[in-house]
Amino acid sequence: MLTEARSLVLSALRGYAMKHRRAPTLEELCEFTGTTSVGSMHKHIARLVEDGYAVRDENGRAVAAKDCPCCGKPFNN
């Protein structure tokens, strides 16, 4: 289950990618969510990837929100 903070980060990943057609940087995610700590944002992203809600690209830098493997819909935030 997602915490409120991770749910916000997941929504920010989706919203930013839809608007800008690329993955956001940690700094951009911080700005989008109102977070001031890049380190905390990194931990949220790492946990979203670990729990299967997001995936890193081939070079391990960009992160994208994943959809539910069962139904193909975005995970409920």
Side-chain angles (χ1 to χ4, degrees), residues 9 19 22 25 40 47 50 52 56 66:
V9 173
K19 183 176 181 182
R22 66 173 179 84
T25 64
S40 292
R47 186 63 186 264
E50 180 182 313
R56 293 190 185 276
K66 287 176 60 178

Side-chain angles (χ1 to χ4, degrees), residues 2-73:
L2 288 173
T3 64
E4 186 176 332
R6 289 194 186 109
S7 180
L8 180 61
V9 173
L10 189 60
S11 292
L13 278 172
R14 275 204 172 83
Y16 192 95
M18 288 178 67
K19 183 176 181 182
H20 299 282
R21 301 283 188 213
R22 66 173 179 84
T25 64
L26 290 175
E27 291 82 4
E28 290 166 333
L29 277 174
C30 286
E31 185 178 322
F32 197 85
T33 61
T35 305
T36 57
S37 172
V38 175
S40 292
M41 184 58 65
H42 185 269
K43 289 178 185 178
H44 287 307
I45 294 295
R47 186 63 186 264
L48 286 170
V49 170
E50 180 182 313
D51 290 348
Y53 290 100
V55 63
R56 293 190 185 276
D57 68 1
E58 306 83 43
N59 64 20
R61 296 189 63 143
V63 177
K66 287 176 60 178
D67 293 330
C68 177
C70 301
C71 63
K73 294 181 182 177

